[in-house]
């Protein structure tokens, strides 16, 4: 239990004495008391009663002081191990003792002493442990502040040796205020120690080592005084310069009411970094420097904004033990919070631990960030500032940020809700800056002989203007630290440059740079070759995407390293070479590349970016050609993921040079800045044909594979732009193909293991893809994936993400870099290149998310749920701006941002509201319209003044966004001829509306003309469920209940792409990226798919003979050569039993096929149909045989030929069975009458009996010749019998039922002889016997196929391969195989002999089976996981791309026939190079 506060006890005591009010000072307040306005206050003399009260207070005060002194002395004793605290407590005791008799306000002294006693008692047990807490951190600053306050108190108390001056009201008030400040500081120490125990300190030390040091990965080079700072010649201000600016900064630090953020900005060269260096030195000396990060574009790590938060958190953890404790707790509870996006990262590793430890953080603690404008990613910079400005106001520390006044920084620093303190260095008065520069130059040129005159210094200072960089560059040029030069001659050269009449600072800097470069390019001392090398080196430094080392530059440019070093030595005034092994070369100031890349400014030294990037592109290709080879890092096994390779980092360092990595990462970045020349074209083609897969290895091993896709996309766009009219069509196709190949690899889980570029990605590549054509012949021993499904590229998804619910909305970000999906109570944003989640939120206690929309400026995302709630997030900071917005009584809102991103409109039910997207306040509305249905859409017009609303009751409104009034008469878009409205989309410019009706007809309306301008667009087989326009409104995308997606040309109405097939249920939402190259779709099948949309050729899917609908029946011809499938869409397909390819064009009927059967001579196939007929076709000619048999009044559910070929029987839901003579087609006798629907019929081997199963669970055995019932109704099943089959050589039959069991029956007695057997796989839809009658094959709901022992009923093999109900099974004539057909749209051939034979499994090894198993069974095989990996534990065999997973062949399943054709795969392990032998798959070795 917490002790009672001292303040409370004093208050109670004094109240009893009648002192309920204590003048200006409130109990517990730390405020400075008000001072008297009268110079000579004359209080009234006290009464006798008052004197008695004062005496009582003094007595209590004496008693309180004694207790306080005791507590403080104990604290002093316990602080023996921490001398700074011991000294401070000793001084405090002395000061309190001195003060107790001289402070006039005795009740305040009593209260103060009581509070100190309470504090000392709490802190005493922990005093000795504070010594281990930190050195120079938060505790040191607290002790320092206490000593400062005590020093001032002691000075005042001793002043005048206790003369009357101490009784002055001002002194009393000031002393009390300082004591209160001391009490507050001590309590900060209390807060710190109560957040941790001594044991916890040890744990925190371990956590710091194990967690922070290992996972935060701070950038040490970014510290102001790092070794890198010395290398780049960073330094503090010259003594006595910039004093006013530094004083202003110190004042801001110490001002408790000062802004939480101070922005120091100035143009390039104004000395920002130097000032901050000196400021950091002062902060560190004063124990106030919490953390610092000096950004630099010359360093990749210092220029990566993602490193700032991690580095600051790391430094904070060392500054404050309390912060460290809270940060470690968060690391234990949340996985890798530092790896999240910048917004979440800042929240978890800085803001939250700071908030929880704020009571232990001293006032005036500062974080410094310099040169924020030099971070490489502009959008990331904006994001960081948003995060900072959001959190800064509530954190116990302050931030100092310095940068150029770049637009993105200026915009975020001028946020309306928070303004920082600001200093513009370029606005500082010229004379002050000039004086400081003069002092700097005097110091910098002091060692020069002869020393420059004061007139020379004055002249240089005037020329510098406000640019310290000018002065610094002059100093480095005239008087370099290393190297002997003629300083006087150089100074004379600088002073001899004629100033321009315009006297602009930029011109002064330009003249200086030109002078320095003239010296470096001295034609009188350098040969032409040397001059060329200096130019080459200089321009490479300028054009490099990231800084190079000297050795990198030597390799990239193919020139000796000593020539590089020599060239750099001539450029030391403007470039810097870092000392040590890294030797990074960088510019000294950002103004230098600006100068060189501007021909008007740099003149003879101009760096032509196009020409030099062409040179660098060639160089990158050359390096890759020399250094790339197969198995770059000698990976030993393809079974392992890269992350499990223990010495991978060492392998990477040993085998991938920094020059090669640079070339692999940036060849495209240089290429896209070039012109398309024949030599560049040749290099590009050679790379694509011979080095592509090795390049992928490098990028994947170094975790840059997602950027590889972007490099290829950028190259493809550049190539199309530079080669108009498709002048290099073959190269263009190759770029499309490799882009697709890399995208599929990088978006899938395959990227987890680099060897699977070859083991998995290449075998599953389409045969028409140039990657396959270029590289397959160079390999052997890989999986051979064949069949018609791989012949031609199809419109399949390149990325598939399975989620936990139906996807209701998908949308692309305006820049196309990310996409969002709304489902359940979740909104996710994923990166387009990697597929990784960059934003995710789970909303508690809410209905499903139905609407998701990005703001046009890409800064916000809004979501609406089924119950009418609306949320708005800031994307960059991941913060919730408003939650939840709701108009009472609304539901299922439709949302639209205004074009300026300021407003958000919502339409729900009959209510429209317009919200402020930054605050969530209602700007206008709510407005009422007619009540609508589910299908609605709205959008702001481009000027944001109006709202276009298309309601679900087929009305189009144009509304005033401020008043909600109709600006024109609403018009009706009803089309009663084609049905009711099912989907709506508004074009981005709001000029058109696309609507779909009824069974799939799409029309496009012109809003202004109020008439249809295009339609009907007909391509889907059923209702259209989703529509979306492209960014420019030229294309329209449609998705349907038929699970396909199509793209239409709005102008012509032609279908230009599709169908895109990959979903298995209704398409719920669609979006096209802003550049039109990618398509995102969401579906009720719980998945989100990403698709490539080609623009180089017609994107129409090539016709492919495959399964075109649900499979309801399969059959195997008795000659063993053919397999047939009957489909729900009325198609009967006939396939080769050897390879699964179509042997004849499909037969078509007008209604679903319910059952099929081959004639015994295999020449005819007959089908029972939904429309009550039995239809037969000649398998050889494809012609229909005679007219369809009629006679049933309901659908025909089953057909069967008698084994002797003389009869055909059909069973129907009309409860009858009809037997016909095959030669005449005539009915034999009367229909056989069942007592319920007939689901299945089967002949006995002798052809004299017929077995039938009914929907009520009954079974009958009939005499075929007489039509009499032999047995029946036979009862044994509790629910419908879906399938019956007769044994080929035994007097028995089997039945499968809806009651999930199988039963064996005697044909002699009609009695059950075995069963019922429950395989625990669900409803039994189909059964058949093996040819030797020893086994029963059964198809179940959900996709399982089981092989059971016919006598015992035990399961011999349980097979999972199908993903939906197995409707039919049939055995091959030789009994070695069987075929299964499923509602998942696939037909699979299985090897029955191997599945059920231990010896066969041993003799037919498969990579799916683990090695070393003595008695293998099918249950031992590897599993195929949702991410496409087929694996056994940690052994990863291979990976299948999304489009092949449903058609994947399994062990003992050599052929699969699916919607896209046939797939067959040989998994024989004896022929494959995988696992430890994978590196043998490359024929040509290393190709060095």
């Amino acid at each position: 239990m917490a002790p009672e506060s001292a303040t409370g006890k004093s208050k109670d005591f004094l109240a009893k004495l009648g002192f309920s009010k204590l003048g200006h000072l409130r109990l517990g307040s730390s405020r400075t008391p008000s001072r008297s306005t009268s110079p000579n206050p004359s209080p009234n003399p006290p009464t006798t009663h008052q004197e008695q009260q004062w005496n009582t207070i003094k007595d209590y005060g004496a008693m309180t002081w004694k207790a306080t002194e005791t507590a403080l002395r104990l604290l002093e004793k316990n602080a023996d191990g921490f001398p700074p605290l011991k000294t401070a407590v000793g001084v405090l005791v002395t000061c309190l003792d001195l003060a107790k008799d001289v402070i006039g306000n005795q009740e305040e002294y009593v209260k103060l002493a009581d509070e100190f006693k309470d504090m000392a008692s709490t802190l005493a047990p922990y005093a000795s442990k504070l010594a281990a807490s930190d050195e120079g951190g938060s505790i040191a600053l607290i002790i320092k502040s206490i000593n400062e306050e005590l020093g001032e108190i002691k000075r005042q108390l001793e002043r005048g040796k206790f003369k009357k001056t101490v009784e002055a009201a001002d002194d009393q008030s000031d002393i009390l205020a300082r004591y209160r400040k001391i009490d507050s500081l001590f309590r900060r120490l209390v807060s710190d120690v109560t957040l941790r125990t001594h044991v916890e300190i040890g744990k925190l030390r371990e956590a710091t080592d194990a967690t922070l040091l290992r996972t935060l990965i701070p950038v040490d080079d970014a510290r102001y005084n790092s070794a890198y700072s010395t290398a780049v010649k960073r330094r503090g201000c010259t003594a006595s310069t910039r004093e006013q600016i530094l004083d202003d900064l110190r004042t801001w630090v110490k001002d408790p009411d000062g802004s939480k953020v101070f922005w120091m900005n100035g143009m390039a060269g104004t000395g920002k970094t130097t000032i901050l260096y000196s400021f950091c030195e002062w902060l560190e000396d004063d124990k106030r420097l919490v953390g610092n990060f000096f950004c630099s574009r010359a360093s990749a790590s210092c220029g990566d904004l993602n490193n700032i938060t991690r580095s600051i958190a790391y430094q904070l953890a060392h500054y404050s033990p309390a912060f460290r404790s809270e940060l470690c707790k968060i690391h234990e509870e949340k996985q890798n919070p530092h790896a999240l996006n910048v917004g979440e990262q800042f929240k978890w590793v800085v803001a939250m631990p700071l908030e929880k430890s704020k009571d232990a953080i001293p006032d005036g603690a500062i974080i410094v960030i310099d040169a924020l404008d030099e971070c490489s990613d502009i959008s990331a910079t904006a994001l960081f500032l948003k995060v900072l400005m959001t959190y800064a106001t509530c954190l116990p520390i302050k931030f100092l940020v310095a940068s150029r006044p770049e637009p993105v920084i200026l915009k975020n620093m001028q946020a309306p809700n928070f303004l920082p303190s600001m200093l513009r260095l370029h606005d500082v008065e010229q004379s002050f800056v000039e004086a400081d520069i003069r002092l700097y130059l005097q110091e910098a040129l002091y060692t020069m002989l002869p020393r420059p005159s004061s007139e020379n210094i004055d002249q240089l200072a005037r020329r510098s203007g406000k640019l310290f960089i000018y002065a610094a560059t002059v100093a480095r040029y005239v008087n370099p630290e290393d190297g002997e030069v003629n300083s006087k001659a150089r100074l004379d050269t600088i002073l001899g440059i004629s100033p321009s009449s315009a006297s602009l600072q930029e011109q002064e800097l330009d003249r200086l740079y030109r002078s320095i470069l003239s010296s470096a390019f001295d034609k009188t001392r350098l040969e032409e070759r040397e001059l060329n090398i200096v130019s080459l080196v200089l321009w490479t430094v300028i054009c490099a995407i990231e800084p190079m080392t000297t050795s990198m530059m030597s390799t990239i440019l193919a020139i000796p390293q000593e020539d590089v070093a020599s060239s750099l030595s001539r450029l030391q005034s403007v470039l810097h070479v870092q000392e040590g092994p890294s030797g990074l070369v960088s510019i000294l100031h950002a103004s230098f590349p600006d100068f060189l890349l501007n021909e008007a400014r740099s003149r003879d030294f101009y760096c032509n970016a196009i020409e030099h990037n062409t040179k660098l592109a060639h160089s990158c290709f050359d390096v890759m050609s020399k250094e790339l080879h197969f198995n770059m890092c000698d990976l030993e096994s393809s079974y392992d993921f890269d992350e499990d390779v223990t010495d991978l980092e060492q392998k990477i360092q040993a085998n991938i040079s920094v020059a090669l990595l640079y070339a692999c990462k940036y060849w495209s970045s240089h290429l896209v800045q070039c012109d398309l020349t024949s030599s560049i074209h040749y290099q590009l083609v050679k790379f694509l044909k011979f080095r592509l897969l090795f390049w992928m290895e490098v990028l994947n091993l170094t975790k840059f594979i997602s950027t590889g896709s972007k490099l290829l996309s950028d190259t493809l766009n550049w190539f199309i732009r530079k080669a108009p009219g498709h002048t290099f069509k073959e190269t263009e196709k190759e770029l499309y193909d490799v882009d697709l190949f890399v995208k599929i690899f990088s978006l899938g889980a395959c990227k987890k293991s680099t060897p699977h570029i070859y083991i998995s990605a290449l075998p599953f590549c389409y045969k028409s893809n140039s990657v396959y054509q270029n590289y397959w012949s160079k390999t052997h021993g890989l999986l051979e994936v064949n069949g018609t499904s791989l012949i031609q590229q199809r419109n399949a998804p390149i990325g598939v993400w399975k989620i936990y619910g139906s996807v209701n909305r998908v949308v692309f970000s305006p820049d196309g870099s990310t996409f969002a999906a709304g489902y359940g109570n979740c909104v996710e944003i994923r990166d387009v290149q990697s597929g990784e989640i960059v934003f995710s939120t789970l909303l508690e206690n809410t209905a499903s998310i139905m609407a998701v929309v990005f703001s046009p400026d890409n800064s916000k995302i809004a979501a609406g749920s089924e119950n009418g709630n609306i949320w708005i997030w800031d994307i960059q900071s991941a913060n919730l701006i408003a939650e939840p917005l709701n108009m009472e009584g609304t539901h299922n809102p439709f949302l639209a941002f205004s074009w300026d991103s300021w407003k958000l409109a919502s339409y729900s039910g009959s209510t429209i509201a317009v919200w402020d997207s930054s605050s969530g306040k209602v700007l206008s509305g709510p407005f009422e319209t007619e009540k609508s249905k589910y299908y609605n859409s709205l959008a702001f017009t481009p000027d944001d003044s109006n709202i276009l609303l298309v309601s679900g009751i087929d009305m189009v409104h144009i509304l005033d966004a401020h008043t909600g009034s109709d600006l024109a008469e609403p018009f009706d878009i009803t089309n009663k001829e084609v049905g009711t409205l099912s989907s709506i989309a508004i074009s981005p410019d709001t000029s058109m509306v696309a609507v779909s009706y009824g069974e799939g007809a799409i029309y496009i309306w012109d809003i202004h003309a109020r008439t249809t301008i295009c339609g009907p667009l007909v391509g889907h087989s059923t209702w259209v469920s989703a529509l979306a326009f492209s960014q420019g409104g030229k294309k329209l995308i449609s998705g349907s209940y038929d699970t396909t997606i199509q793209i239409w040309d709005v102008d012509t109405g032609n279908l230009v792409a599709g169908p895109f097939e990959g979903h298995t249920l209704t398409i719920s939402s669609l979006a096209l990226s802003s550049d039109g190259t990618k398509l995102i779709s969401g579906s009720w099948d719980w998945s989100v798919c990403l698709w490539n949309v080609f623009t180089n050729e017609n994107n129409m899917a090539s016709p492919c003979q495959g399964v075109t609908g649900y499979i309801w029946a399969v059959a195997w011809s008795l000659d063993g050569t053919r397999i047939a499938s009957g489909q729900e869409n009325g198609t009967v397909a006939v396939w080769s039993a050897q390879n699964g390819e179509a042997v004849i064009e499909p037969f078509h009927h007008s209604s679903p096929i319910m059952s099929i059967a081959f004639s015994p001579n295999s020449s005819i196939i007959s089908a029972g149909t939904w429309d009550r007929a039995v239809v037969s076709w000649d398998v050889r000619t494809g012609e229909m045989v005679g007219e369809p048999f009629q006679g049933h009044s309901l659908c025909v559910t089953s057909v069967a030929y008698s084994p002797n070929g003389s009869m055909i029987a059909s069973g129907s839901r009309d409860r009858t069975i009809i037997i016909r003579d095959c030669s005449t087609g005539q009915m034999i006798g009367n229909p056989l009458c069942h007592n319920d629907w007939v689901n299945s019929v089967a002949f006995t081997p002798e052809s004299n009996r017929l077995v039938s199963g009914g929907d009520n669970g009954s079974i009958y055995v009939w005499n075929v010749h007489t039509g009499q019932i032999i047995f029946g109704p036979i009862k044994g099943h509790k629910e419908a019998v879906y399938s019956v089959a007769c044994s080929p050589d035994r007097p028995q039959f089997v039945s499968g039922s809806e009651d999930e069991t199988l039963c064996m029956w005697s044909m002699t007695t009609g009695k059950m002889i075995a069963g019922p057997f429950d395989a625990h796989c669900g409803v039994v839809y189909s059964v058949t016997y093996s040819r030797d009658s020893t086994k029963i094959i059964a198809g179940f709901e959900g996709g399982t196929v089981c092989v059971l022992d016919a006598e015992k009923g035990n399961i011999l093999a349980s097979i999972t391969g199908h993903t939906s109900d197995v409707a039919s099974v049939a055995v091959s004539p030789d009994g070695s195989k069987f075929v299964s057909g499923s509602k998942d749209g696939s037909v699979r051939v299985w090897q029955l002999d191997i599945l059920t034979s231990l010896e066969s499994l041993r003799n037919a090894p498969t990579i799916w089976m683990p090695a070393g198993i003595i008695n293998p069974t099918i249950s031992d095989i590897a599993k195929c996981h949702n991410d496409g990996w087929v694996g056994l534990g940690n052994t990863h065999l291979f990976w299948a791309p999304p489009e092949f997973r449903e058609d994947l062949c399994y062990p003992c399943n050599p052929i699969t026939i699916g919607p896209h054709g046939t797939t067959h795969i040989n998994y024989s392990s004896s022929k494959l190079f995988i696992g430890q032998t994978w590196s043998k798959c490359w024929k040509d070795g290393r190709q060095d």
Side-chain angles (χ1 to χ4, degrees), residues 532-533 535-537 539-540 543 548 553-559 607-623 626 662 666-667 670-671 673-675 677 679-680 683:
N532 291 336
I533 291 176
S535 297
L536 196 59
V537 169
W539 295 337
T540 298
C543 292
M548 296 185 188
M553 209 176 302
S554 171
T555 303
I556 294 285
L557 299 177
I559 56 178
C607 174
N608 187 315
I610 293 177
E611 290 182 1
H612 196 66
N613 275 292
T614 302
K615 164 65 180 173
L616 290 177
H618 275 291
S619 298
C620 287
F621 281 129
D622 289 341
V623 170
K626 292 175 184 176
Y662 180 94
Y666 298 122
W667 63 267
H670 292 299
L671 185 73
Q673 299 182 63
C674 305
D675 291 326
T677 63
S679 60
I680 281 288
Q683 289 269 36

Side-chain angles (χ1 to χ4, degrees), residues 733 736-741 744 764-773 788-798 1058-1060 1091-1092 1094 1096-1104 1441 1443-1444 1460:
K733 179 187 181 300
Y736 274 105
D737 288 347
V738 299
D739 182 38
L740 179 64
F741 184 80
I744 291 173
F764 281 99
C765 186
Y766 291 102
K767 311 305 181 192
S768 60
N769 188 297
S770 60
V771 176
Y772 182 89
Q773 294 171 352
T788 57
S789 64
L790 282 96
I791 293 175
Q792 190 63 39
Q793 181 78 48
R794 63 178 186 260
N795 295 326
I798 58 174
F1060 295 87
W1091 317 74
N1092 244 15
F1094 298 109
N1096 65 326
E1097 58 186 23
N1098 197 320
N1099 212 133
M1100 300 298 293
S1102 302
C1104 174
E1443 66 264 44
F1444 291 108
H1460 307 293

